[in-house]
Amino acid sequence: MPLQSTGAVLGDPKKYQISPNIKRYTLMDLGFVKTKNGNFQLERSLDPNSPFTQANKLKVTFKADLSGFQMGVTTANGLKAINIFKTDKTADNVEQYHFIIDNMIERQVLEEV
């Protein structure tokens, strides 16, 4: 999937775009790591009790020049995109997802479209 200026997670009715005030050091403060090709990537567990358990993950990747991004929620092994919004069993995952996204909005990395 190509990196674009707007993005959404499967099942989430909200779309997000890159904030015009985004800074590289803010990404690093939030836990993004630089990949081999210079992109910035974040993988966070959506388990609200422990970040170390095998749980669904939020994956966010920004282009090296911060002109595009992609985001998705995957299974614990990161291989399959899933919809955490369709069942009540994953309500805790949804809450943790919103916490992470709200933090990125507050730090001017993303903004809601």
Side-chain angles (χ1 to χ4, degrees):
M1 181 174 176
L3 303 177
Q4 302 171 343
S5 61
T6 62
V9 169
L10 183 65
D12 188 359
K14 297 178 183 176
K15 288 187 96 173
Y16 302 96
Q17 67 183 11
I18 300 171
S19 171
N21 300 323
I22 190 170
K23 304 282 188 250
R24 283 181 172 78
Y25 62 83
T26 304
L27 293 176
M28 302 302 268
D29 285 348
L30 289 172
F32 282 81
V33 293
K34 237 180 177 179
T35 62
K36 290 180 186 176
N37 57 359
N39 292 341
F40 295 93
Q41 186 172 43
L42 175 75
E43 283 189 27
R44 283 286 182 261
S45 170
L46 293 178
D47 184 347
N49 301 317
S50 173
F52 305 109
T53 60
Q54 288 287 2
N56 299 330
K57 294 181 192 176
L58 172 65
K59 291 175 114 178
V60 182
T61 304
F62 282 91
K63 242 181 181 177
D65 64 1
L66 305 179
S67 64
F69 82 110
Q70 72 179 22
M71 58 192 298
V73 174
T74 65
T75 56
N77 62 9
L79 298 177
K80 183 180 174 192
I82 59 169
N83 183 349
I84 59 173
F85 296 92
K86 69 178 181 179
T87 179
D88 290 337
K89 289 181 184 178
T90 56
D92 289 343
N93 290 162
V94 172
E95 183 179 346
Q96 187 69 13
Y97 164 79
H98 284 299
F99 176 79
I100 295 169
I101 295 297
D102 289 345
N103 191 24
M104 285 191 217
I105 291 171
E106 184 179 307
R107 298 287 302 268
Q108 298 181 340
V109 171
L110 295 176
E111 53 187 37
E112 199 172 327
V113 177

